[in-house]
Amino acid sequence: MSDRELEEFLAVHPFTADLDESQRARLAKQARLAHYQPDEYLIQEGRPADAFYLIVQGLVSIELFVPGHGPRPLQTVEGGSAVGWSWMLAPSRWEFDARALERTTAVVFDAERLRALLLEDCCLGLRLVQRLLFLVTERLRAARLQLLDLYGPPRER
Amino acid sequence: MVKAAITTPAATNPFIPFPFVVMSRRRETRDTVTLRLRPLRNVRLLAQPGQFMMLSVIGVGEVPISVSGLPRRPGELEHTIRAVGSVTRHLVALRPGDYIGVRGPFGTSWPLQLAHGQDVLLIAGGLGFAPLRSALLSILRERWRYRQVIALYGARSPTDLLYRRDLSRWQQRPDLVLRMTVDHPDQYWRGQVGVVPNLIRQVAAFFEPANTIAMICGPEIMMRFTIRELQKHGVPDEHIFLSLERNMQCAIGLCGHCQLGPFFLCKDGPVLPYSRLAPFSDIREF
């Protein structure tokens, strides 16, 4: 896949669509396109957080493996969203699993090269950090609402 | 033979229930059933999607329950009921052939005519899918009147999903965008996990915000976050309609038990546009 084709994916993905063309071109140089089959892991807990994923198409389950119970899905992420921010923060290890539930396509950034790019281009760095913060806020809000168990019978809430 | 005259509620005392018989009972979840009711007398209580009826069990009490289906025969009613209190526990335990009292219909209905020629977004959480099911059935019956039709539904778990037979049928329809999500999946669930407002972004490409009528029903916190998400996407407040649940008792705007600000939800609601409710949205008990 050429940088040009990757740029086209970045131009339509909500995470990167409103970046400058030159910023998207720089990002494309750090990226590759990857395909995942159902049940294939993008991320596994405890392993080095060495990549950042923009989901283009498909469905990914963010989950924890509970011994005796198997994978416990916490949230799912569809095309148009992003997966993984542990690469931003030391010690850069994944804290959850991310598993494709259906055939999934993602733009995958190499974390080390991406970190270097963001340090070199602070303007792009700020814009990506803002987007990641938005993503974290969204996931946190969703997790808080799930905790409320809104649909349960009144006496069980 | 002389045909019996049809009685309509307008000609009667609104406090007196009509006797109905349970025609069928379908278990939806462990605590929720759908009852199909037929009037014992030649009476037509013509309920519109979004309106509610007062269902009574003799000697136990009366509760407001929205209509959840369309009549298969004139005069029939369909209601989905969850056992949460003494009256609803009795209603859920009813069997075909049992009798109940019914009065109504009461309140406002979903703005189906306003939605003609528009994109329609139906957003339901939990048991809130019941009042929206009747709207969706009505829309699908006259599908040609609407542009995109999108239904978003969130439930606690896969076993808490209502109308599973309908859902699997609707998933096959090319003229309906249906997305479901659950908060707590089981090991067999391969669908989405998360909250309903997140689904709106996923279907944003399917609707034009300025030409969309959104109808929402669910727990009020879910509706609050859903409204914010719709606003972010540019759906005008006057195009967002909510169904609000309160303690309806008289159902005709006399007793005041269901008062919310200047509204008696039994007659001004339960369906109201958010543009009318927004001035009161900073009241904590709203």
Side-chain angles (χ1 to χ4, degrees), chain B residues 115 133-134:
Chain B
R133 176 179 177 255
S134 55

Side-chain angles (χ1 to χ4, degrees), chain A residues 14 38-39 59 61 69 71-81 99-102 134-135 138-139 141-157, chain B residues 30-31 82-85 89 124-127 154-156 179 181-187 189-198 201-202 218-219 221-222 225 228-229 232:
Chain A
D39 288 326
L59 188 65
S61 170
H69 293 275
R72 298 295 289 262
L74 304 165
Q75 268 174 347
T76 50
V77 176
E78 266 212 347
S81 194
R99 181 172 55 103
L101 291 180
E102 47 190 59
F134 178 79
L135 194 70
E138 231 179 24
R139 301 270 163 85
R141 185 189 60 199
R144 284 172 172 166
L145 286 177
Q146 276 173 269
L147 272 178
L148 289 176
D149 195 17
L150 293 173
Y151 309 131
R155 62 185 175 282
E156 288 179 28
R157 279 179 219 160
Chain B
R30 67 192 161 94
D31 59 0
R82 177 195 255 183
V84 289
R89 268 197 299 275
L127 194 60
R156 191 189 201 197
R179 294 277 194 281
T181 185
V182 298
D183 281 349
H184 307 289
D186 58 23
Q187 56 184 321
W189 179 252
R190 298 287 294 184
Q192 301 208 40
V193 180
V195 294
V196 174
N198 284 359
R201 196 191 46 223
Q202 295 172 18
I221 294 174
M222 166 252 162
F225 281 87
R228 286 182 202 161
E229 198 63 33
K232 270 193 229 165

Side-chain angles (χ1 to χ4, degrees), chain B:
Chain B
M1 198 171 83
V2 180
K3 251 185 155 179
I6 295 170
T7 311
T8 60
T12 64
N13 182 337
F15 285 112
I16 298 175
F18 291 97
F20 273 63
V21 64
V22 176
M23 295 292 293
S24 68
R25 174 186 189 270
R26 188 177 64 236
R27 181 165 281 283
E28 302 286 354
T29 69
R30 67 192 161 94
D31 59 0
T32 306
V33 301
T34 297
L35 300 180
R36 198 153 56 84
L37 308 172
R38 183 173 58 81
L40 276 185
R41 283 196 259 144
N42 202 3
V43 60
R44 297 263 173 95
L45 309 183
L46 299 173
Q48 299 297 315
Q51 289 189 298
F52 68 96
M53 314 295 287
M54 295 299 293
L55 305 187
S56 54
V57 180
I58 294 165
V60 181
E62 190 181 46
V63 285
I65 305 284
S66 295
V67 290
S68 63
L70 301 177
R72 289 188 207 166
R73 290 190 201 138
E76 281 186 2
L77 293 169
E78 198 166 283
H79 292 279
T80 301
I81 304 153
R82 177 195 255 183
V84 289
S86 63
V87 182
T88 48
R89 268 197 299 275
H90 276 84
L91 287 168
V92 165
L94 291 173
R95 292 283 183 273
D98 289 342
Y99 300 107
I100 64 167
V102 178
R103 59 189 185 95
F106 298 113
T108 53
S109 56
W110 294 113
L112 295 178
Q113 284 201 347
L114 185 69
H116 288 172
Q118 309 274 319
D119 295 329
V120 187
L121 201 44
L122 305 173
I123 308 173
L127 194 60
F129 196 28
L132 278 170
R133 176 179 177 255
S134 55
L136 182 54
L137 289 170
S138 181
I139 287 167
L140 294 178
R141 200 168 58 178
E142 297 186 319
R143 181 62 188 86
W144 54 274
R145 289 188 185 277
Y146 306 89
R147 294 180 356 156
Q148 287 283 4
V149 179
I150 303 154
L152 310 179
Y153 176 30
R156 191 189 201 197
S157 72
T159 54
D160 290 304
L161 287 167
L162 302 171
Y163 316 122
R164 269 176 265 185
R165 202 179 305 167
D166 288 341
L167 290 172
S168 55
R169 208 173 51 233
W170 291 335
Q171 277 179 317
Q172 311 303 321
R173 286 186 72 126
D175 57 353
L176 172 69
V177 178
L178 173 65
R179 294 277 194 281
M180 292 178 280
T181 185
V182 298
D183 281 349
H184 307 289
D186 58 23
Q187 56 184 321
Y188 306 109
W189 179 252
R190 298 287 294 184
Q192 301 208 40
V193 180
V195 294
V196 174
N198 284 359
L199 298 178
I200 295 171
R201 196 191 46 223
Q202 295 172 18
V203 297
F206 293 104
F207 64 90
E208 274 178 37
N211 298 315
T212 293
I213 299 293
M215 306 177 204
I216 316 172
C217 190
E220 291 192 12
I221 294 174
M222 166 252 162
M223 292 203 283
R224 211 152 72 202
F225 281 87
T226 302
I227 291 164
R228 286 182 202 161
E229 198 63 33
L230 290 172
Q231 288 172 325
K232 270 193 229 165
H233 283 84
V235 179
D237 285 357
E238 61 272 22
H239 287 196
I240 301 173
F241 290 81
L242 317 177
S243 179
L244 292 169
E245 191 182 277
R246 282 291 185 281
N247 178 16
M248 279 97 160
Q249 293 202 0
C250 73
I252 54 172
L254 291 177
C255 72
H257 281 91
C258 63
Q259 190 168 359
L260 176 73
F263 307 113
F264 284 152
L265 288 180
C266 67
K267 71 176 179 63
D268 303 317
V271 178
L272 280 164
Y274 183 64
S275 53
R276 293 185 69 196
L277 293 162
F280 311 99
S281 60
D282 57 350
I283 300 170
R284 291 187 72 84
E285 291 301 316
F286 172 70

Side-chain angles (χ1 to χ4, degrees), chain A residues 93-143:
Chain A
R93 291 206 171 267
W94 298 123
E95 297 192 335
F96 296 90
D97 293 336
R99 181 172 55 103
L101 291 180
E102 47 190 59
R103 195 173 147 73
T104 295
T105 304
V107 176
V108 186
F109 296 90
D110 176 85
E112 200 177 321
R113 290 168 68 189
L114 189 56
R115 276 193 299 265
L117 173 66
L118 301 189
L119 282 173
E120 181 190 302
D121 183 344
C122 292
C123 177
L124 176 59
L126 176 65
R127 297 185 78 176
L128 278 199
V129 168
Q130 282 175 326
R131 282 162 174 72
L132 279 172
L133 188 58
F134 178 79
L135 194 70
V136 173
T137 311
E138 231 179 24
R139 301 270 163 85
L140 179 62
R141 185 189 60 199

